[in-house]
Amino acid sequence: MRPLYITSGEPAGIGPDICLSLADRVDERPIVILADIEMLRQRAHQLGLNVELIPYQGQAESSLQGQLFVEDVPLAGKVVLGQLDSANAAYVLEQLRRSADYAMSGRSVGVATAPVQKSIINDAGIVFSGHTEYYQEFADVDRVVMMLATKTLRVALATTHLALRDVPDAITKERLHQVIDILIHDLKTKFKIAEPHILVCGLNPHAGEDGYLGREEIDVINPVLETYRAQGVHMSLSLPADTLFTPENLKDADAVLAMYHDQGLPVLKSQGFGEAVNITLGLPFIRTSVDHGTALSLAGTGQAKASSLHVAVDLALDLARTSFTKL
């Protein structure tokens, strides 16, 4: 069967640690770690883990418990735990390049990603905004949507990593149409939700309070939402974000669309930090990710929690099962 690839991310952080924890799993589909295999051996030794690392050569079967398939990606520089080194920026990007290439060419069902450190990649002179933007450019798609999910809540974002002062100008009718089209499409096709029920946050406090606290809801957001409601889509008009996330409102919702990063994600992460997963919607392949950063101070200590990576792998495999039932 086609494998699921896992990028191990920043080598000085906890990415290699949490990838090694995947040896505890036995999955129906092969899982392959993209990493320097010798670095993984050293990290396993530091962590006191007895993991057999097997060079991946297209095996169709899953590894046994205590084993991991690894596709070797050579490091450029020595890894010192907790210390970033721009010499290894190209190593991190090579993981992303291979994972994207394999997914786009059909050699894999998709990818789950461990965290990277954007700053050190940029310090190396390489313009890098993040995983999401990298995969978007590689796949040559006009728009992707960032959605985080726990077992009980999905939150998609109309804008992602923008300064707060730039958000209102970015909330345009065109962007909202693109984001909502992708959200509806992927909820139907990837998550198999036939008629998604979507709640939408307003941009302003109290959703603008009829224009007294801002007109974005009146001039931009609600006119777009009305076009979908007229087509029979189960979608709210803009709602005050401070009351939208109550259990009563969320009980029938399949997803919430937040206008900006820190509007929706603090609520979601307060419910399930470490057990949430990031999904990139709008790509022609499956991509999930952890909901945390590189945690440099925890690398090699044995204190890093791997639960988010396991949830990301679980979701990617589940999506692959429904999307690629014969592969």
Side-chain angles (χ1 to χ4, degrees), residues 34-39 71-77 87-88 90-92 94-95 98:
L34 288 164
D36 185 292
I37 195 167
E38 185 55 36
M39 181 270 294
E71 180 172 323
D72 188 42
V73 182
L75 279 161
N88 284 320
Y91 162 78
V92 173
E94 177 61 13
Q95 299 172 40
R98 292 193 197 185

Side-chain angles (χ1 to χ4, degrees), residues 59-79:
Q59 294 93 326
E61 298 180 0
S62 180
S63 57
L64 301 175
Q65 193 167 28
Q67 297 178 331
L68 273 180
F69 290 128
V70 180
E71 180 172 323
D72 188 42
V73 182
L75 279 161
K78 181 180 178 182
V79 174

Side-chain angles (χ1 to χ4, degrees), residues 6-19 84 91-92 95-96 112-118 120-121 128 130-131 278 287-296 304-306 308-309 312:
I6 315 294
T7 62
S8 57
E10 168 54 50
I14 63 171
D17 304 37
I18 60 177
C19 284
L84 298 171
Y91 162 78
V92 173
Q95 299 172 40
L96 305 192
T113 57
V116 300
Q117 192 86 14
K118 299 174 195 173
I120 199 65
I121 298 174
F128 179 76
H131 279 109
N278 180 358
R287 184 263 167 156
T288 63
S289 181
V290 297
D291 69 344
H292 57 75
T294 53
L296 296 170
K305 294 182 179 179
S308 183
L309 181 61

Side-chain angles (χ1 to χ4, degrees), residues 208-277:
E209 202 164 298
D210 296 326
Y212 288 102
L213 296 176
R215 292 193 55 86
E216 286 82 3
E217 289 78 9
I218 295 172
D219 296 338
V220 179
I221 300 172
N222 284 341
V224 171
L225 302 181
E226 289 283 17
T227 66
Y228 290 94
R229 290 160 61 92
Q231 298 169 27
V233 177
H234 297 292
M235 177 174 290
S236 74
L237 293 177
S238 56
L239 298 171
D242 62 342
T243 54
L244 182 155
F245 289 98
T246 60
E248 180 65 23
N249 286 331
L250 291 175
K251 66 180 182 180
D252 296 321
D254 295 304
V256 173
L257 176 61
M259 291 296 109
Y260 57 94
H261 188 281
D262 282 11
Q263 182 181 59
L265 297 194
V267 179
L268 181 137
K269 291 190 177 185
S270 71
Q271 292 188 8
F273 185 70
E275 302 207 352
V277 55

Side-chain angles (χ1 to χ4, degrees), residues 284-326:
F285 55 86
I286 296 163
R287 184 263 167 156
T288 63
S289 181
V290 297
D291 69 344
H292 57 75
T294 53
L296 296 170
S297 63
L298 298 181
T301 66
Q303 298 178 31
K305 294 182 179 179
S307 53
S308 183
L309 181 61
H310 285 262
V311 175
V313 171
D314 286 339
L315 178 58
L317 291 174
D318 187 50
L319 294 175
R321 189 178 302 112
T322 58
S323 300
F324 303 96
T325 53
K326 297 182 180 180

Side-chain angles (χ1 to χ4, degrees), residues 11-90:
I14 63 171
D17 304 37
I18 60 177
C19 284
L20 286 166
S21 76
L22 298 175
D24 293 334
R25 303 170 60 102
V26 177
D27 293 294
E28 62 186 19
R29 187 179 295 278
I31 292 175
V32 183
I33 312 299
L34 288 164
D36 185 292
I37 195 167
E38 185 55 36
M39 181 270 294
L40 278 186
R41 287 197 181 98
Q42 293 174 6
R43 191 68 60 90
H45 178 74
Q46 290 168 320
L47 293 168
L49 300 176
N50 184 20
V51 179
E52 181 185 1
L53 302 177
I54 305 170
Y56 185 70
Q57 297 176 334
Q59 294 93 326
E61 298 180 0
S62 180
S63 57
L64 301 175
Q65 193 167 28
Q67 297 178 331
L68 273 180
F69 290 128
V70 180
E71 180 172 323
D72 188 42
V73 182
L75 279 161
K78 181 180 178 182
V79 174
V80 178
L81 294 179
Q83 295 185 24
L84 298 171
D85 185 351
S86 59
N88 284 320

Side-chain angles (χ1 to χ4, degrees), residues 123-190:
D123 287 348
I126 304 168
V127 177
F128 179 76
S129 300
H131 279 109
T132 302
E133 294 81 4
Y134 181 93
Y135 287 126
Q136 176 185 358
E137 183 176 351
F138 196 100
D140 193 25
V141 294
D142 292 333
R143 176 80 63 191
V144 293
V145 175
M146 179 178 175
M147 183 172 80
L148 269 77
T150 65
K151 293 180 180 179
T152 59
L153 179 62
R154 301 183 187 95
V155 176
L157 301 179
T159 63
T160 53
H161 301 123
L162 286 179
L164 195 56
R165 68 172 65 247
D166 297 328
V167 170
D169 289 342
I171 303 293
T172 64
K173 290 182 179 180
E174 180 183 17
R175 177 189 282 262
L176 286 177
H177 275 295
Q178 290 174 331
V179 168
I180 293 170
D181 285 347
I182 291 170
L183 178 59
I184 293 171
H185 177 271
D186 279 20
L187 287 174
K188 287 182 175 182
T189 59
K190 291 182 178 176

